[in-house]
Amino acid sequence: MVFTPILALAFVALTPIVNAYPVTGSVIDCHSGPGASHSVVKTYEERADIEIVCQATGTTVDGSDIWHQTVDDCYVSDFSSDVTEECPSEDTVDDEDTLSEGALSERSTSSNLPGLSATQTKHAKAIIAEAKKEGLGRQGCLAGISTALVESNILIYANKKVPASLKYHHDAVAEDYDSVGIFQQRAVYYPNIAADMDAAKSAAQFFKIMKKVSGWKKMNTGKLCQKVQGSAYPSRYQERVPESKKICSAGGL
């Protein structure tokens, strides 16, 4: 399986030839940055081909501090490959005279929200846009983003137990009951799988329930998230609110 490159076009001229290497052992987590402390944004399954672009220095794992960036704009730890080209830093691409107008345009619109990868940012912006569309303000944004962080790390999950979900775009696959999508909405309660697997539409489903909660506008954010989700771990939502505040602020709420 070969994944479609999503690196910003501004870096094309600086990127070495991509090489593909198969995952021969267990699944491999791909992080938003060169270190295990960075969030996992993608998981490569066994036998998948990983396309390596460049290498960077990060936190040490099993005696190595080498991390490889993939074409999916995330990093795997010391993955076996022949690529030794250093990944370009933001300072490497600062000469606008060497970039085409199209590349500059792509660069200007590709900035990520705080602490998020490009994929997470795309989904988070869809959630924020839905909150704005419905006039839910900062409280709606905080509830939506906090829930998405807890439930899926703002990634779209398909579920093998819900075969229909595999037909739609997804960032990863899990097997938690019949839960799918960013908000891990259970298919038994949210039977519209197409909506479950869409960032904006799943957010709209979340907000529809949220707006029915009495006093939601002034309620503690973590408590509000729990009212909607009914999680077995209610305290987790409030723990992610500090991150959500940064994301929502950067997104205009």
Side-chain angles (χ1 to χ4, degrees):
M1 183 184 300
V2 177
F3 296 91
T4 303
I6 57 175
L7 290 174
L9 296 179
F11 296 111
V12 169
L14 301 176
T15 303
I17 296 175
V18 174
N19 293 284
Y21 299 86
V23 177
T24 57
S26 59
V27 298
I28 294 179
D29 290 334
C30 201
H31 298 258
S32 60
S37 61
H38 291 273
S39 60
V40 175
V41 299
K42 191 176 188 67
T43 298
Y44 294 108
E45 304 289 342
E46 187 174 357
R47 293 187 297 279
D49 285 334
I50 298 182
E51 294 187 29
I52 302 298
V53 174
C54 57
Q55 72 176 34
T57 301
T59 57
T60 301
V61 175
D62 293 332
S64 174
D65 62 355
I66 298 299
W67 289 75
H68 288 91
Q69 186 182 54
T70 78
V71 293
D72 294 303
D73 199 18
C74 55
Y75 294 79
V76 291
S77 173
D78 197 22
F79 190 77
S80 177
S81 79
D82 297 326
V83 176
T84 57
E85 181 83 11
E86 291 291 328
C87 295
S89 64
E90 292 184 1
D91 292 336
T92 306
V93 190
D94 59 359
D95 185 355
E96 297 190 356
D97 292 334
T98 66
L99 300 177
S100 67
E101 182 177 348
L104 285 171
S105 176
E106 176 69 19
R107 181 184 176 189
S108 66
T109 59
S110 64
S111 58
N112 296 341
L113 293 174
L116 304 183
S117 69
T119 298
Q120 292 170 305
T121 293
K122 177 182 177 182
H123 300 330
K125 286 182 176 179
I127 295 171
I128 294 171
E130 185 62 29
K132 290 179 178 179
K133 175 183 175 183
E134 297 189 30
L136 303 177
R138 185 171 175 81
Q139 175 75 325
C141 181
L142 292 177
I145 295 298
S146 295
T147 299
L149 282 168
V150 170
E151 299 294 348
S152 68
N153 206 23
I154 318 187
L155 296 175
I156 296 177
Y157 273 85
N159 190 327
K160 293 179 181 178
K161 296 178 182 177
V162 186
S165 68
L166 298 167
K167 299 178 182 179
Y168 296 92
H169 165 77
H170 54 275
D171 306 309
V173 179
E175 297 183 61
D176 182 21
Y177 294 99
D178 59 346
S179 302
V180 297
I182 289 178
F183 292 90
Q184 288 292 277
Q185 292 163 333
R186 296 193 60 184
V188 66
Y189 303 123
Y190 299 88
N192 187 343
I193 306 303
D196 300 340
M197 298 297 290
D198 179 273
K201 292 177 181 178
S202 61
Q205 293 183 152
F206 173 86
F207 291 139
K208 182 178 180 179
I209 303 300
M210 184 194 77
K211 289 184 290 185
K212 294 180 180 180
V213 177
S214 178
W216 70 267
K217 294 182 179 180
K218 297 183 178 180
M219 187 177 292
N220 170 271
T221 301
K223 182 178 180 180
L224 176 58
C225 297
Q226 174 63 10
K227 287 283 187 180
V228 178
Q229 297 296 103
S231 172
Y233 306 97
S235 65
R236 291 182 178 179
Y237 300 116
Q238 191 62 32
E239 293 172 0
R240 307 305 292 271
V241 170
E243 297 169 64
S244 299
K245 288 181 177 179
K246 295 178 181 178
I247 294 170
C248 289
S249 292
L253 283 175

